[in-house]
């Protein structure tokens, strides 16, 4: 089945916003096993919008439009799509009541006349309630084709798609699609791909698709089957095989879990506290950890020691170490981690010191050279990295690898016992 | 003049990447005063790509294609575009030499046969050298239309557009376009828009367009004129008028300068050192400052005191303050800033403490309540904020407002003298 996206909005044509809706919808459609050959962006213009919808409905089975469902006169998507599909607009009592209820609970208590425009629906269309806004989603079916209208704001579009549109599309197909995610840290993209080359070579159902992220590789396993149970049965042995191959480098099989969440979970489980001692990452590592709600149980403080003096004063790094080896050295990283744990009374301290660039590099210590150390259970593990890319990339790579190092140290200690 | 974008790539249709190129190109085209009515995304498929180019060239004066210029067989953009436009492909000696030179200086020393595919160009096309990759940019002109091919990777596309394509497009037009940027902090979007409603109402040339960013408002002033000098003459009084209205809330008129860069510049100029003392932002503020290369002159350390104990131990916040007023209070923020400056010997210390959510809010102290304080020259300024949105939004708003507070305190002290 072929699906096509049309994003409606002048703000996209002016470059005021990035089309994240298209990327989101495309990824979900791929996951559903739908083929996508075209995406378009068009403004709130009747003639051009009608032309774009006609072309799309002519060559695709499903057309998903997003945006242009607002209450103002400029918003034309529903009116134009209904006309192209030969639907009449009528007032929907259910939607009218929902909009009234929505306004009652919102900070804007006054309903203006143009809000009732959103209660008009193409007669006979499937109405999809919007839990985060006033514009309903709409599905028009005709001659075996479906035209789906979704509101433009991502905080309305995404929940609506997850809850109602994804199941609708899944039901249109003879087979349902199920997928699982395996998230890997501490291994490079090309290494991971080489290790699963044989699986990818011979794959039919399920399939494995690798996605590279900074310092991580995500593998999506997708199966088609008659029902969910059967699909999950197909996926299970593949996940098991990936576990055999990548072992503890797999930090989660939970789609929504981030690396920092996995680390925080591990710390909570082992009842360990963590401190960060950062130089070149300058607070990014602590900031990433404190993205996680509830981190306060295990993360009490972080130290950003950007200058040599701060390294000495706050982390007690020896003057001679800084003088003889330099701030960017394995010895400095080691002292930062060891002393950081001791001074703060934390179970674990992870340190990062390096040259993020663009300046400060030398032939001996080039931009991208980063040392990190992790102190845990009277043992300090040090690692040396050579990252590529610009300042922000070096810093981001450092953060992910520091998180990975903490995880490795905890698991290695576990294995010993 | 009408311009249209075609992004070529299966990774866009699968939702693996977000189409940031389209947003970038659309913003630049708007800035040039070009009208854009359509954007399309299509895969590396000969038939569909040819059809899409034909449609675009039929209805627009300029068609900009990005992506699909790589060395592999899958990459078809050049071949298909040349065929549609009636151009023959021939080897370009200049490009061949440039590719050889590029490989000589890269870490990948081996040129494979398929790299020479990138030295083929449509005979008579304008060749635009790629300083960050092998694929050249290409411009084909025919019957008053221009078809422009750009490489897909943003780090190749953006510099090429800035340097060669922007001036090319500017020359195509009878009038040239010039713009200036005025960046404002410390004022809300709606306040700024109200203050310039009269200017926007009556605008013809130049025009003012507001762009809202978290905690900031950017105003772009765009003028059309016969030459650059004339355009700049039109812009100057508008910038002056905006300066009259927003005064010191304008932190820069430099397009590329960020708020953190402006703060670091100010600190460097005044030879002041800054320390951060963060609770709910958990290192984000320090991380934002250390985005700036060269910040080490003025930023020596930051303290992330997430727990009450860390606030006591590292920042000497009084036990009674935490007990009586709570960690999220003006008094705690004040002590964090005052003591932070004293303990570290910094000229300035800015502190942030608040409830980022999703948990931890109460009726009295709801999620989004944030206190921040800035200690400078024996004076501590405290501010209370009520931010809306989820955890990440509250944290991001806090960071921008903390930077703004630092700036305000320095300027206020300046004004006194």
């Amino acid at each position: 089945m072929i699906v096509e996206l049309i994003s409606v909005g002048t703000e996209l044509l002016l470059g005021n916003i990035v089309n994240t809706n298209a990327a989101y919808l495309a990824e979900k459609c791929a996951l559903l096993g739908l083929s996508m050959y075209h995406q378009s962006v068009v403004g709130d213009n009747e003639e051009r919008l009608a032309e774009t919808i006609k072309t799309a409905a002519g060559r695709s089975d499903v057309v998903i439009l997003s945006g242009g469902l607002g209450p103002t006169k400029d918003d034309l998507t529903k009116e134009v799509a209904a006309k192209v599909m030969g639907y009449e607009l009528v007032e929907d009592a259910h939607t009218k009541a929902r909009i009234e209820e929505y306004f009652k609970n919102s900070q804007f208590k006054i309903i203006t006349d143009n809000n009732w425009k959103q209660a008009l629906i193409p007669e006979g269309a499937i109405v999809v309630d919007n839990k985060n806004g006033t514009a309903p989603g709409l599905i028009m079916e005709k001659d075996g084709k479906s035209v789906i209208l979704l509101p433009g704001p991502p905080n309305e579009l995404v929940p609506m798609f997850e809850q109602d549109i994804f199941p609708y599309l899944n039901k249109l197909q003879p087979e349902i699609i199920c997928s699982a995610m395996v998230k890997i840290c501490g291994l490079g993209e090309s290494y991971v791909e080489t290790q699963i080359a044989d699986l990818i070579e011979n794959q039919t159902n399920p399939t494995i698709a690798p996605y590279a992220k900074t310092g991580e590789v995500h593998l999506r396993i997708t199966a088609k089957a008659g029902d969910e149970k059967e699909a999950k049965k197909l996926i299970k042995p593949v996940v098991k095989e990936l576990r055999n191959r990548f072992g503890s480098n797999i930090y989660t099989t939970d789609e929504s879990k981030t690396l920092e969440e996995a680390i925080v979970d591990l710390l909570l489980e082992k009842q360990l506290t963590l401190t960060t001692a950062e130089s070149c990452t300058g607070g990014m590592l602590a900031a990433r950890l404190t993205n996680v709600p509830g981190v306060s149980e295990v993360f009490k403080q972080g130290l950003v020691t950007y200058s040599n003096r701060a390294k000495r004063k706050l982390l007690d790094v020896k003057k001679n170490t800084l003088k003889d080896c330099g701030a960017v050295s394995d010895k400095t990283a080691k002292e930062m981690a060891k002393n950081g744990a001791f001074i703060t009374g934390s179970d674990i301290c992870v340190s990062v010191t390096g040259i993020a660039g663009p300046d400060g590099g030398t032939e001996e210590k080039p931009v991208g050279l980063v040392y990190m150390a992790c102190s845990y259970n009277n043992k300090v593990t040090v690692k040396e990295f050579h990252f590529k890319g610009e300042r922000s990339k070096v810093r981001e790579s450092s953060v992910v690898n520091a998180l990975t190092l903490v995880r490795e140290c905890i698991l290695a200690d576990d294995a010993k016992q």
Side-chain angles (χ1 to χ4, degrees), chain A:
Chain A
M1 219 165 47
I2 301 170
V3 63
E4 171 155 0
L5 304 182
I6 302 174
S7 308
V8 186
T10 309
E11 64 279 20
L12 290 165
L13 295 175
L14 290 172
N16 292 351
I17 56 169
V18 178
N19 198 350
T20 53
N21 281 343
Y24 168 79
L25 293 170
E27 191 183 344
K28 292 292 169 184
C29 288
L31 179 56
L32 280 159
L34 301 168
S35 301
M36 184 180 294
Y37 299 138
H38 294 279
Q39 294 172 6
S40 322
V41 178
V42 65
D44 304 291
N45 170 284
E46 187 168 346
E47 195 187 328
R48 287 190 287 272
L49 184 52
E51 189 60 40
T52 305
I53 297 172
K54 264 181 225 158
T55 305
R59 65 193 174 191
S60 301
D61 305 302
V62 177
V63 181
I64 303 177
L65 290 111
S66 58
L69 298 183
T72 73
K73 263 195 229 164
D74 289 351
D75 296 297
L76 294 169
T77 304
K78 181 174 61 187
E79 289 73 10
V80 175
K83 206 169 165 187
V84 170
M85 296 293 286
Y87 275 74
E88 288 288 328
L89 291 183
V90 293
E91 190 173 271
D92 182 42
H94 165 77
T95 299
K96 196 175 176 187
R98 193 183 52 74
I99 293 174
E100 276 175 323
E101 191 63 23
Y102 182 87
F103 273 95
K104 222 192 279 171
N105 298 323
S106 97
Q107 48 173 326
F108 313 105
K109 301 279 179 198
I110 301 150
I111 311 183
T112 54
D113 269 353
N114 55 12
N115 283 116
W116 301 127
K117 176 170 174 295
Q118 297 187 307
L120 295 174
I121 66 146
E123 193 169 11
I126 302 169
V127 176
V128 183
D129 285 353
N130 184 345
K131 297 199 173 62
N132 303 289
T134 48
L138 295 161
I139 304 175
M140 288 178 263
E141 295 173 332
K142 197 176 179 182
D143 306 332
K145 308 241 171 184
S146 298
V147 172
I148 301 172
L149 312 188
L150 300 174
N155 69 327
E156 300 179 26
L157 178 140
V158 172
M160 191 184 280
F161 192 90
E162 299 280 332
Q163 192 166 337
D164 293 302
I165 310 300
F166 191 96
Y168 171 82
L169 292 172
N170 213 351
K171 253 190 265 169
L172 284 187
Q173 302 187 98
E175 295 185 304
I176 74 122
I177 302 283
C178 252
S179 84
M181 188 64 114
V182 169
K183 296 187 179 181
I184 295 169
C185 64
L187 297 174
E189 185 193 358
S190 57
Y191 176 83
V192 169
E193 288 190 6
T194 313
Q195 292 301 102
I196 56 169
D198 59 318
L199 299 179
I200 288 186
E201 182 88 7
N202 300 313
Q203 70 186 6
T204 48
N205 185 25
T207 57
I208 307 174
Y211 295 78
K213 311 224 333 166
T214 301
E216 301 183 34
V217 185
H218 296 181
L219 301 175
R220 184 184 285 288
I221 303 106
T222 308
K224 290 186 194 196
D227 59 45
E228 197 178 328
K229 201 177 150 194
E230 204 188 321
K232 284 192 173 159
K233 217 170 128 186
L234 288 167
I235 289 172
K236 210 174 160 187
V238 179
V239 173
K240 199 179 160 196
E241 180 57 31
L242 293 173
R243 282 201 188 277
N244 284 342
R245 296 190 186 196
F246 299 112
S248 65
N249 286 100
I250 297 173
Y251 71 83
T252 191
T253 54
D254 176 347
E255 173 96 43
S256 65
K257 188 170 285 183
T258 61
L259 180 57
E260 57 265 32
E261 285 171 345
I263 308 287
V264 171
D265 282 354
L266 189 63
L267 293 167
L268 285 168
E269 182 200 325
K270 307 275 176 198
Q271 293 190 284
L272 296 169
T273 56
L274 170 69
T275 285
T276 51
E278 303 178 65
S279 187
C280 65
T281 47
M284 277 176 85
L285 178 54
R288 182 95 174 238
L289 283 162
T290 53
N291 277 342
V292 184
V295 71
S296 56
E297 286 294 308
V298 293
F299 178 79
K300 308 291 178 185
Q301 70 271 298
L303 299 166
V304 180
T305 54
Y306 215 61
S307 69
N308 278 0
R309 190 165 168 269
K311 288 180 187 74
R312 288 215 314 274
K313 214 176 147 185
L314 294 171
L315 287 169
D316 215 13
V317 174
K318 282 189 207 122
K319 205 170 174 176
N320 278 344
T321 303
L322 293 167
K323 205 179 135 204
D324 299 342
C325 310
V328 179
S329 64
D330 56 350
K331 209 168 170 196
T332 296
K334 210 165 171 171
E335 288 185 27
M336 284 170 74
K338 197 176 165 188
N339 302 352
F342 179 76
I343 291 165
T344 61
S346 300
D347 299 311
I348 308 174
C349 179
V350 61
S351 70
V352 187
T353 180
I355 301 159
D359 307 314
T362 62
E363 198 153 319
E364 203 192 337
K365 293 185 179 179
V367 169
L369 173 67
V370 178
Y371 291 94
M372 43 191 87
C374 181
S375 162
Y376 175 46
N377 243 353
N378 298 317
K379 197 184 154 195
V380 186
T381 312
V382 194
K383 282 201 173 185
E384 180 182 320
F385 290 89
H386 295 263
F387 296 118
K388 295 220 182 316
E390 26 178 50
R391 184 177 178 86
S392 61
K393 184 81 181 166
V394 170
R395 282 162 40 100
E396 209 189 312
S397 301
S398 300
V399 167
V400 179
N401 281 284
L403 292 171
T404 303
L405 177 59
V406 170
R407 192 171 169 275
E408 282 171 4
C409 289
I410 299 174
L411 296 181
D413 190 84
D414 247 30
K416 262 193 338 204
Q417 283 160 16

